Amino acid sequence: MAQYIMKGGNPLVGEVSISGAKNAALGILAASVMADEDVLIENLPDVQDINMMLDAIREIGADVTRLDTHTVRINGKGIRELSVESENMTRIRASYYLIGALLGKYGRADVPMPGGCEIGQRPIDQHLKGFRALGAEVEIVNGRIRVESKKLRGEHIFFDVVSVGATINVMMAAALSEGRTILENAAKEPHIVDVANFLNSMGANIKGAGTDVIRIVGVPRFHAATYSIIPDQIEAGTFMFAAAITRGDIMVKNLIPKHMEAISAKLIEMGCEVLEFDDAIRVVGTPRLRPVNVKTLPYPGFPTDMQPQVGTAMALARGVSVLTESIFESRYRYLRELSAMGACSKVEGNTAIITGVEKFTGAEIHACDLRAGAALVLAGLAAEGITTISDIHFIQRGYEHFEEKLRALGAVIELANNERDLRKFMMVAG
């Protein structure tokens, strides 16, 4: 099984360009099947989750043409199957976005329960509440979600909790419903705005995305469109913390600084220098980070997907930091891996108390999920000695050419597919 093997101790220095946002792209790909004309999507990230979603869309009958690595043309006119059978859809959380898309367009959908990383429960009750409010009948049978409606009608829907997935899913279905829909207590993440903008580019009438009240006037059909996906907020944040964790100096390019404000604020609080430009942010690390307190919150708060990265930085800070996870309850497993590298932490419920150490030492560890895996790579690049990380398929789900981008910044890291690769690395790295 493939592993990352790295020799730590080199500060990461240079420039890195951020890919398209995976979380936005998954919603946009699902929404693209709602049009019976050609939809051109640009700045698509080349990662496993995206490729699995494209395969599923192709399998239900949509015409999918990959024009190049980051551009795809999709036409949903040929869809003949409203039951999504692709095995890949049980592996990614965003499988449920096809429910809203197919329900809105055809009035019916049958999709597997969502998969993804094991970071805690992913309740879909708010999705189902929204579909029912629009007039759909919903049932869960044998691990599948089945929804059906003869006619969807607009409704005033108040989400009980802020849910990114439910906001996107119900927004898609409502965009082709009859009448007006109001979504209150909606999530405000950047990729919700991106999906709404994409739907509008196909002819939807959606206003208020990015606020907690979204207003939708249903339209009868969508038309052709060309759309470019926003940069990935979490990939950008990961490289910003790479500078902090390795005491480096990285210019992170092709991002939207407004999306990074919560992340930038914590880096500054930890003692890093953060310089903001029109579409880039430069982060300069400090010899020893300061401790901070962080609580993950829905946007514009500190993102839950950045929790392992900030937790890794806390483990190298001078003093005690407190990290509180308010979104997913099983997101601290990476701390057990960090302890093998010398980190010191204690978890009590949804709070981690992290006492910083002066340095990490290399170890054999494994990626527990997508974002934790990326954070552990950064830990390995800061550590003294050799670190190997297994289960890197998690990381490859959401980071495009991760090891290549890190090497361009000076990292000593390789993808090892077998024992021979490991031995070769050890000989070269010394």
Side-chain angles (χ1 to χ4, degrees):
M1 185 176 291
Q3 295 177 297
Y4 282 140
I5 182 169
M6 65 206 75
K7 183 177 181 180
N10 293 341
L12 299 186
V13 177
E15 298 182 349
V16 63
S17 187
I18 299 306
S19 303
K22 175 185 79 82
N23 289 335
L26 290 167
I28 286 170
L29 288 176
S32 70
V33 307
M34 301 173 76
D36 284 342
E37 300 178 19
D38 285 353
V39 174
L40 190 69
I41 302 171
E42 301 171 338
N43 200 34
L44 195 71
D46 184 23
V47 296
Q48 287 182 5
D49 276 14
I50 296 301
N51 296 328
M52 287 191 286
M53 178 65 91
L54 287 172
D55 287 343
I57 290 171
R58 188 181 288 111
E59 287 177 21
I60 63 174
D63 181 38
V64 178
T65 304
R66 200 74 178 257
L67 301 180
D68 60 44
T69 303
H70 300 111
T71 308
V72 67
R73 183 177 62 233
I74 298 174
N75 190 314
K77 186 176 182 178
I79 289 178
R80 60 187 180 275
E81 182 58 65
L82 303 182
S83 179
V84 180
E85 301 296 340
S86 173
E87 182 181 343
N88 287 333
M89 288 295 91
T90 63
R91 300 175 183 171
I92 61 174
R93 176 185 53 168
S95 60
Y96 54 42
Y97 288 147
L98 285 171
I99 305 173
L102 296 175
L103 176 64
K105 184 180 182 183
Y106 297 105
R108 184 167 65 85
D110 182 346
V111 176
M113 288 285 285
C117 297
E118 295 181 8
I119 55 177
Q121 293 184 6
R122 301 174 185 271
I124 59 168
D125 57 313
Q126 297 305 297
H127 303 241
L128 306 187
K129 172 183 176 177
F131 296 145
R132 289 188 177 107
L134 294 175
E137 295 183 359
V138 180
E139 62 176 352
I140 299 177
V141 180
N142 298 326
R144 302 183 64 85
I145 308 166
R146 297 174 181 171
V147 296
E148 187 170 0
S149 176
K150 293 181 179 179
K151 180 178 287 187
L152 296 176
R153 298 183 183 275
E155 186 57 82
H156 191 144
I157 301 168
F158 189 98
F159 292 115
D160 300 322
V161 295
V162 175
S163 168
V164 172
T167 299
I168 291 176
N169 227 345
V170 179
M171 180 171 67
M172 286 194 291
L176 288 181
S177 298
E178 185 177 285
R180 297 175 180 268
T181 297
I182 297 175
L183 305 181
E184 286 203 66
N185 199 29
K188 299 178 281 190
E189 272 69 8
H191 49 287
I192 287 173
V193 178
D194 211 33
V195 174
N197 288 341
F198 171 69
L199 289 168
N200 284 339
S201 76
M202 293 194 298
N205 185 344
I206 302 172
K207 297 179 180 178
T211 75
D212 57 4
V213 180
I214 300 176
R215 302 177 188 276
I216 305 164
V217 178
V219 298
R221 66 186 63 83
F222 289 152
H223 53 65
T226 297
Y227 194 80
S228 182
I229 293 167
I230 59 170
D232 195 304
Q233 174 201 26
I234 305 305
E235 184 192 12
T238 299
F239 279 101
M240 289 168 68
F241 267 93
I245 291 167
T246 68
R247 303 170 183 172
D249 182 348
I250 301 177
M251 177 74 79
V252 187
K253 303 172 67 176
N254 186 38
L255 53 70
I256 299 173
K258 178 69 176 177
H259 295 169
M260 314 308 300
E261 288 179 345
I263 296 166
S264 295
K266 285 302 171 184
L267 284 167
I268 292 170
E269 192 176 341
M270 297 186 84
C272 296
E273 183 179 6
V274 178
L275 304 173
E276 185 177 305
F277 303 89
D278 288 344
D279 62 351
I281 293 177
R282 179 184 176 190
V283 179
V284 183
T286 180
R288 192 74 190 272
L289 296 167
R290 293 195 293 261
V292 292
N293 296 336
V294 172
K295 181 178 182 179
T296 62
L297 291 167
Y299 187 83
F302 195 90
T304 181
D305 279 355
M306 286 299 303
Q307 189 252 87
Q309 296 88 319
V310 72
T312 300
M314 289 173 170
L316 289 172
R318 188 189 300 276
V320 178
S321 299
V322 178
L323 181 56
T324 304
E325 172 58 51
S326 69
I327 311 296
F328 292 113
E329 73 276 9
S330 300
R331 200 147 209 175
Y332 287 130
R333 290 185 299 162
Y334 70 94
L335 291 175
R336 293 199 300 267
E337 304 301 311
L338 282 180
S339 67
M341 304 177 74
C344 179
S345 63
K346 180 181 180 182
V347 177
E348 298 179 352
N350 66 340
T351 298
I353 301 168
I354 302 173
T355 303
V357 296
E358 187 173 344
K359 65 180 180 180
F360 294 146
T361 55
E364 294 183 6
I365 55 179
H366 76 278
C368 347
D369 60 68
L370 168 56
R371 306 306 176 184
L376 291 171
V377 169
L378 302 186
L381 293 175
E384 183 180 274
I386 303 294
T387 297
T388 60
I389 301 181
S390 57
D391 294 329
I392 63 170
H393 60 279
F394 286 116
I395 304 169
Q396 294 168 333
R397 284 185 45 222
Y399 288 90
E400 182 175 351
H401 306 310
F402 194 40
E403 69 274 17
E404 295 173 19
K405 290 183 178 183
L406 290 168
R407 276 199 297 270
L409 296 170
V412 180
I413 180 172
E414 293 292 340
L415 177 64
N417 292 302
N418 49 49
E419 286 294 329
R420 181 181 177 183
D421 290 343
L422 290 170
R423 288 195 299 270
K424 182 179 178 182
F425 181 90
M426 297 294 285
M427 290 177 60
V428 173

